[in-house]
């Protein structure tokens, strides 16, 4: 058996078309152009690539995009001053502080995220937005899990009544993913590094989500025949190539559907960031 390959490219294109349409409609109705500002501190190479990709995607879809670059040596106060200014700026609807921050600022990451106006928190990481999601109000939802769920829906893969197993319990992927699946009537199990007999848990999944951060962690023997496997992981191998958390080569022969890495969930994340920016702009002008 060979799994259906869920191409992030194909679904991201569909989401981007919706974003372009919504941004155009907002402009026509209100004269407002949705605006996203990314704050980038330091010179991290991967972050530079992510930020430039986001910038390009915004411009393609009619979203104003700005990048505020701060030096590696920027202080917490400088960063908070920039965020306070963006909170006040009516032309800015979405603020994203690119993570990870340089080492000297890591301990204040939470404080920095808390400083962002929740109405402009297009990453969906602010505790207010996390709390909203927990009580079933999907306001500004973290982009990666939101993209995964949207992809399942667009692909016509049923969630209701299915047993979903999410490996990973981070605030940015695992927990919100579990909440989104639960809200769509899946029965959800969350696994983590202290889970006993994780392979047996994973084998029960109709929908298996891997958000672990370990290359090829999910092997074929951990997957039920016909399961939908969503690979969130992005890992850099010693040879420089990217790999997911799932052993794609083997698992594709067992799964019913599977996302590849690269070319899977990562593309949906950017698309959902743009969708969140337009949503924040729509809410701001209401
Ligand atoms: P975190 O490191 O924050 O969380 C990893 C989770 O995996 C933790 O809950 C941890 O458990 C669990 N875990 C680690 N080792 C094991 C193990 N041996 N067995 C079971 N569970 C384990 O990572 P993130 O959630 O931020 O990201 C996960 C992956 O997704 C990474 O590869 C990241 O790069 C990628 N990612 C991809 C995105 C995209 O756009 N495609 C966006 C965001 C992330 P515990 O809590 O017990 O420590």
């Amino acid at each position: 058996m060979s799994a259906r390959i869920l191409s992030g490219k194909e679904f991201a294109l569909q989401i981007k078309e919706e974003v372009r349409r919504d941004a155009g409609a907002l402009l026509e109705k209100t004269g407002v152009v949705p605006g996203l500002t990314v704050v980038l501190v330091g010179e991290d190479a991967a972050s530079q690539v992510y930020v430039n990709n986001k910038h390009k995607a915004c411009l393609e879809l009619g979203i104003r995009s700005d990048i505020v670059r701060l030096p590696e040596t920027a202080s917490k106060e400088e960063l908070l001053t920039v965020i306070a200014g963006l909170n006040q700026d009516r032309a800015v609807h979405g603020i994203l502080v690119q993570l990870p921050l340089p080492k000297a600022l890591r301990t204040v990451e939470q404080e920095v995220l808390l400083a962002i106006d929740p109405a402009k928190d297009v990453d969906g990481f602010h505790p207010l937005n996390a709390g909203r999601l927990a009580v079933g109000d999907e306001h500004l939802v973290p982009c990666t899990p939101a993209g995964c769920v949207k992809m399942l829906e667009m692909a016509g893969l049923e969630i209701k009544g299915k047993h979903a197993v999410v490996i990973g319990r981070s605030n940015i992927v695992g927990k919100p993913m579990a909440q989104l699946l639960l809200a769509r009537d899946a029965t959800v199990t969350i696994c983590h590094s202290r889970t006993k007999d994780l392979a047996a848990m994973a084998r029960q999944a109709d929908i298996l989500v891997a958000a672990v951060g370990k290359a090829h962690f999910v092997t074929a023997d951990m997957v039920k025949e016909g399961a939908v496997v969503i690979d969130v992981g992005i890992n850099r191998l010693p040879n420089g190539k990217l790999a997911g958390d799932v052993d794609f080569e083997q698992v594709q022969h067992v799964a019913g559907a599977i996302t590849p890495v690269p070319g899977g969930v990562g593309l949906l994340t950017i698309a959902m960031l743009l969708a969140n920016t337009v949503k924040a702009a729509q809410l701001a002008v209401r």
Side-chain angles (χ1 to χ4, degrees):
M1 178 171 143
S2 222
R4 170 179 175 191
I5 309 297
L6 300 168
S7 154
K9 196 169 174 188
E10 178 193 327
F11 294 110
L13 270 176
Q14 287 183 47
I15 298 169
K16 283 181 174 177
E17 269 322 305
E18 283 174 28
V19 170
R20 190 199 305 277
R21 193 196 57 214
D22 290 349
L26 186 70
L27 177 64
E28 199 169 308
K29 204 166 138 202
T30 65
V32 169
V33 177
L36 172 69
T37 299
V38 176
V39 182
L40 177 59
V41 188
E43 304 287 330
D44 180 74
S47 293
Q48 304 270 359
V49 174
Y50 291 143
V51 168
N52 288 336
N53 287 346
K54 287 167 188 168
H55 182 68
K56 262 196 272 166
C58 281
L59 299 183
E60 277 168 23
L61 302 183
I63 296 175
R64 204 173 53 80
S65 164
D66 289 304
I67 304 173
V68 176
R69 293 175 195 273
L70 294 176
E72 185 96 14
T73 51
S75 66
K76 177 181 93 174
E77 288 69 29
E78 283 173 273
L79 181 52
L80 291 179
T81 303
V82 166
I83 293 172
L86 296 173
N87 283 344
Q88 295 302 319
D89 187 340
R90 290 173 56 114
V92 175
H93 304 101
I95 303 169
L96 184 153
V97 176
Q98 184 66 42
L99 300 178
L101 289 170
K103 272 207 182 87
L105 289 171
R106 294 268 164 90
T107 52
V108 296
E109 213 161 86
Q110 195 58 23
E111 196 179 334
V112 168
L113 295 179
L114 270 171
I116 297 172
D117 179 347
K120 300 189 179 190
D121 167 42
V122 282
D123 254 339
F125 295 165
H126 192 288
L128 191 85
N129 287 322
R132 277 182 148 150
L133 177 60
V135 296
D137 172 11
E138 295 179 10
H139 190 71
L140 291 172
V141 175
C143 302
T144 301
C148 293
V149 165
K150 191 151 173 103
M151 179 193 62
L152 288 174
E153 290 172 342
M154 288 191 300
L157 294 164
E158 186 142 45
I159 300 174
K160 188 175 178 171
K162 300 292 180 188
H163 184 188
V165 175
V166 179
I167 313 178
R169 57 173 163 180
S170 71
N171 290 333
I172 64 172
V173 188
K175 274 186 216 153
M177 185 77 218
Q179 283 160 338
L180 289 168
L181 291 165
L182 186 62
R184 284 156 185 77
D185 295 324
T187 301
V188 182
T189 302
I190 305 177
C191 298
H192 47 77
S193 67
R194 305 285 188 271
T195 299
K196 293 212 171 94
D197 201 355
L198 189 136
M201 293 282 180
R203 267 194 302 274
Q204 292 177 29
D206 302 308
I207 299 170
L208 181 62
V209 181
V212 187
K214 289 193 161 71
H216 304 150
F217 181 85
V218 173
T219 47
D221 59 310
M222 294 166 69
V223 177
K224 180 161 87 176
E225 183 100 28
V228 175
V229 179
I230 300 178
D231 189 353
V232 178
I234 301 178
N235 308 287
R236 182 75 61 185
L237 297 175
N239 65 11
K241 288 193 173 159
L242 286 184
D245 288 346
V246 176
D247 181 352
F248 182 88
E249 286 309 317
Q250 302 299 322
V251 172
Q252 65 172 330
H253 300 299
V254 182
I258 185 168
T259 62
V261 177
V265 169
L267 299 169
L268 300 169
T269 300
I270 294 192
M272 291 312 290
L273 172 70
L274 307 175
N276 271 353
T277 302
V278 174
K279 187 171 184 186
Q282 287 167 334
L283 292 168
V285 299
R286 259 208 323 216

